[in-house]
Amino acid sequence: MKRAVVYQSKTGYTKKVAEWIALALSADLLPLSSISASDLLGYDLLIYGGGLYAGGINGLKCFNAVISGVDGAQIVYFATGATPKRENVVPELIQHNFHQDEGAVPLFYVRGGFNYTALGLMDKVLMIILKLKIKSKKEADRSPDERGMLAAFSRTVDFTNSNDIEPIVKYATERGFL
Ligand SMILES: Cc1cc2nc3c(=O)[nH]c(=O)nc-3n(C[C@H](O)[C@H](O)[C@H](O)COP(=O)(O)O)c2cc1C
């Protein structure tokens, strides 16, 4: 069985999680920017991960375009985000990113972190707009996520935990990919 973890990461959180998964599954680790369809031929399991940006999985469209030329591999996805893992996070992400219902796509959510200083200019501008939007609300009306977002501007937060990859490892193991 041949396995690979493909990832796209802006500030390093998805990369860290992808490295843990690749290590646990003895899988090849491939940055999305370095691959084409021919690099993915012959794999039985392909795991793709990207950070969440306004609810969208970074690099997903590009990865799906690359694998449209690849047959026979089981595809599994994961997303990292700053928000805590909630019960409905996966169904919402499947709906938003794949326009399908829960269960139609094997997708896992792994909590990442937030590093404002490592962001590129465009993302910094987006975050400043978001910050102004949150700040325009009365303090009592701000959600816990919005409060967490405001706090994260002044300090880098890293919520990654190697135990959080266990559901992905279990999924691959139970289906005989190891
Ligand atoms: C512009 C912007 C939008 C974001 N949107 C979300 C979001 O919708 N949900 C979430 O949980 N985290 C969101 N985040 C936080 C990132 O998903 C988080 O930092 C992620 O772990 C980044 O992964 P990466 O460094 O591998 O790209 C956002 C961050 C930025 C800068």
Side-chain angles (χ1 to χ4, degrees), residues 75-86:
I75 315 292
V76 174
Y77 299 90
F78 73 92
T80 74
T83 53
K85 189 174 179 174
R86 285 191 217 92

Side-chain angles (χ1 to χ4, degrees), residues 109-176:
Y109 177 76
V110 180
R111 203 172 182 199
F114 186 77
N115 184 348
Y116 178 76
T117 52
L119 290 171
L121 184 62
M122 270 307 285
D123 284 322
K124 276 190 172 140
V125 171
L126 286 174
M127 289 311 297
I128 288 167
I129 294 168
L130 182 64
K131 186 180 181 177
L132 293 174
K133 232 171 126 183
I134 300 171
K135 282 204 151 182
S136 71
K137 290 187 183 180
K138 282 188 205 139
E139 245 181 277
D141 293 341
R142 294 173 193 163
S143 69
D145 278 3
E146 288 173 335
R147 284 179 212 159
M149 203 54 110
L150 285 183
F153 275 90
S154 45
R155 62 184 168 90
T156 297
V157 282
D158 186 347
F159 303 110
T160 55
N161 181 332
S162 58
N163 292 330
D164 291 346
I165 67 161
E166 276 315 312
I168 303 173
V169 174
K170 190 167 174 246
Y171 183 95
T173 310
E174 283 178 354
R175 282 158 186 79

